[in-house]
Amino acid sequence: MTTEQTDRAAVGLRSERGPILLSVMLSVGLVAIDATILATAVPAVVEDLGGFTQFPWLFSIYLLAQAISVPIYGKLADLRGRKPIMLLGVGLFVLGSVLCGVAWSMPALIAFRLIQGLGAGAIQPIGMTIIGDIYSVAERARVQGYIASVWGISSFVGPALGGVFADYISWRWIFFVNIPLGLAAAWVLVRRFKENVVRGDKPQIDYWGTILLAVGGSLLLLGLLEGGVMWSWDSVASIVILAVSVVLLAAFVLVERRAPEPVLPLWVLGHRVLNSANSSALLIGVLMVGLSTYVPLYAQGVLGTSALVAGFALAAMTLGWPIAASLAGKVYLRVGFRTTMLLGAVIVVIGSGLLLTVSSDSSVLYLALACFVIGLGLGFAASPGVVAAQSSVDWRSRGVVTGANMFARSVGSAVGVAAFGAVANAVVASRLGGSHGDLEHLSGDVLAPAIHDVYLGAAGAAVLLVVAVVFMPNRVEEKPRD
C-alpha cells in the first residue's frame, strides 16, 4: 500500500478529475436519496394508488433487481469499460423514475421500481470502480470523504423531501426529482470521463453464467426476503423456491469453471483479501438490516415515540457512518487496513452492547446513541474493505471484485431479514402461542423481548465481524493502474 501524500487541491472538485468525481457523486446521490425518500411517502402512494398489501414489494423488487445485477454489471464493466455501463445504469434509473412518476396503479409502480433497481445495480459498484481507477489508495483516503458526504446529506434530505412532496405537492415528484440529477451526472460523465479500454480479442460474454446467476440468485434472495412473510418457511412455495435456487447456483459454479470470461470468476473465492472484504460486507449487510428494521419498531412500539422521532433515532446511524468513512482513509494510510477495520468492528461490538442495554425505561436519545456508535464502527469497517479489495487486483478485475463486495452486502441484508424475522417471530410465538407476522401492532410487553433477542443476534454478527476482519492483511500492494 502506498504512503504517498496528497493535498486537497489534487483530488477536490476543482481539480482536473473533479468533474468526474462530481458525476459519480451525483449518480450515487440518486441511489442514496432513493434509499430514504420513498419510505416517508408510502401512505400518500397507497392512498392514491391503493394496493396496501402490495406496497412492501416497492422495496423488495428494487433491492432484488439491484442485488442480482451488481456482479453482472461489474463483469461487463471489466469487458466493455466503466463509462458505457455507468451511463446505462443512470439511464435505466432515470427511465424508471419517469415511469414511476406516471404510474397508474400499484402493480405498475412495482414493475417500474424494478427498472430503477436495475439502474441502481450499475450506479453504485461502477461509481466506486471509477473512483478506484482514477485515484490511488492515498488519494482515495480523501475522496471517501466526498462520497460519504453524499450519503450523510441524503440521510437527512431524503426523508425531508419525501415528506414535503407527499404533503404539499405530489408523491410523484419523489421520482421526478431524479431526472435533473441523472441528466447532469450523465452529461458530465460523457464530456469529461475519458478511459482507455484495452481489448484483445472480441470479449466472450458468459451468457449461461449470467442467466444462472440472475435466476438462481433472484430465487435465493426472494426466498430469504419473503420467507416467513408472504409464505411460511415450511410451505411448498418456500421449499421449492429455495431448492431450485440451490440447484441453479450449483449449476452456475460448474459453468463458471469452464467459461472463458466467467461473470463471477471462482478465483474470487480463494483470494485472502477478497474473502475478508466480502465476508465483512456480508456481516455489515446483516447488521444494517437489524438496525433499519427493528430500531424504528422498538422506538415506536416499546418506547412510545412517533414515527418521525423513530426515524431520527435510526438516522443517528446514517450520521455516524459517513463521519467515520471520511476519517477512515487517513487512519488506514497510517496504521493499515486490518487495524482500521478491526477498530471499526470493535466499535460495532461496543455499540451492539449499548443496544442490548436499551429497555422500555430508556430514553430514545440513548437508543440513538447506540445507533450512532454502531454507525461509526460500520464506517471504519466498510470503506477500507472496498479500497483494499480494489487495490489487490488490476484494472481488468476491479469491476468484478467491487460488484462481488456489494453483492455480498446485499446477500447479507437478505440473510439478516430472514434470520432476524425468524428470531422475532419465535419469541412472539412462545409468548402468544402462535406466530404473529404483524409485529407493528403487538404490545410493548411482547415486542420488547422479541426485539431484544434480535439485538442479541446483531451482537453475535458484530463479533463475527471482528473475526472476519482479522484475516485482512494490514498492507495491500496496489496493482499498477493503466
Side-chain angles (χ1 to χ4, degrees), residues 24-384:
V24 172
M25 290 173 66
L26 289 171
S27 302
V28 171
L30 291 171
V31 179
I33 291 177
D34 187 85
T36 56
I37 194 172
L38 181 57
T40 56
V42 164
V45 175
V46 172
E47 183 180 356
D48 188 15
L49 300 181
F52 176 78
T53 59
Q54 298 171 312
F55 88 82
W57 274 95
L58 291 176
F59 303 95
S60 295
I61 198 69
Y62 176 93
L63 294 173
L64 188 62
Q66 180 185 21
I68 204 61
S69 60
V70 160
I72 296 172
Y73 285 131
K75 182 60 180 180
L76 289 176
D78 287 339
L79 292 176
R80 302 292 188 180
R82 324 307 191 200
K83 186 174 180 177
I85 306 303
M86 187 66 161
L87 290 173
L88 173 63
V90 172
L92 284 173
F93 197 92
V94 171
L95 173 62
S97 297
V98 172
L99 293 173
C100 285
V102 299
W104 54 89
S105 66
M106 186 62 75
L109 183 58
I110 291 171
F112 299 148
R113 283 283 287 172
L114 183 144
I115 298 175
Q116 267 195 312
L118 291 174
I123 290 172
Q124 197 167 353
I126 306 307
M128 295 306 299
T129 304
I130 290 173
I131 295 299
D133 287 345
I134 66 175
Y135 294 107
S136 67
V137 170
E139 290 172 330
R140 270 176 275 169
R142 290 191 179 276
V143 172
Q144 280 181 20
Y146 289 92
I147 302 299
S149 69
V150 173
W151 288 95
I153 294 171
S154 298
S155 66
F156 289 95
V157 172
L161 278 179
V164 169
F165 288 147
D167 292 340
Y168 300 106
I169 306 177
S170 169
W171 63 264
R172 297 180 185 275
W173 279 94
I174 287 173
F175 300 105
F176 290 149
V177 75
N178 293 326
I179 298 173
L181 286 175
L183 292 178
W187 184 77
V188 175
L189 199 67
V190 168
R191 287 180 58 86
R192 301 302 296 267
F193 184 37
K194 311 294 182 184
E195 63 175 342
N196 296 317
V197 181
V198 180
R199 296 189 179 98
D201 299 330
K202 183 178 179 181
Q204 300 184 51
I205 306 298
D206 180 16
Y207 293 106
W208 278 111
T210 300
I211 292 171
L212 289 170
L213 177 61
V215 179
S218 295
L219 290 176
L220 175 63
L221 292 175
L222 177 64
L224 292 173
L225 287 170
E226 300 301 334
V229 180
M230 296 292 291
W231 47 74
S232 62
W233 285 109
D234 58 355
S235 67
V236 174
S238 184
I239 294 172
V240 169
I241 288 173
L242 292 176
V244 172
S245 72
V246 170
V247 171
L248 292 178
L249 291 175
F252 166 75
V253 172
L254 295 177
V255 168
E256 296 304 90
R257 287 181 174 178
R258 299 184 178 183
E261 290 283 357
V263 65
L264 187 60
L266 298 183
W267 59 260
V268 170
L269 304 179
H271 195 290
R272 177 186 173 186
V273 175
L274 301 184
N275 280 340
S276 178
N278 293 342
S279 58
S280 299
L282 187 144
L283 290 165
I284 287 169
V286 171
L287 287 161
M288 287 172 61
V289 164
L291 287 171
S292 61
T293 303
Y294 292 97
V295 164
L297 187 57
Y298 193 94
Q300 294 178 74
V302 180
L303 301 184
T305 69
S306 66
L308 180 63
V309 173
F312 279 119
L314 180 61
M317 181 195 73
T318 58
L319 178 62
W321 187 313
I323 289 175
S326 63
L327 298 173
K330 297 178 182 179
V331 178
Y332 70 63
L333 286 178
R334 292 192 175 188
V335 301
F337 288 113
R338 181 178 60 241
T339 304
T340 305
M341 295 176 70
L342 190 58
L343 169 66
V346 170
I347 293 175
V348 172
V349 171
I350 294 172
S352 299
L354 291 175
L355 203 59
L356 287 172
T357 64
V358 175
S359 68
S360 58
D361 297 324
S362 299
S363 164
V364 70
L365 291 177
Y366 185 75
L367 178 63
L369 173 64
C371 291
F372 179 76
V373 173
I374 292 175
L376 284 175
L378 293 177
F380 279 117
S383 300

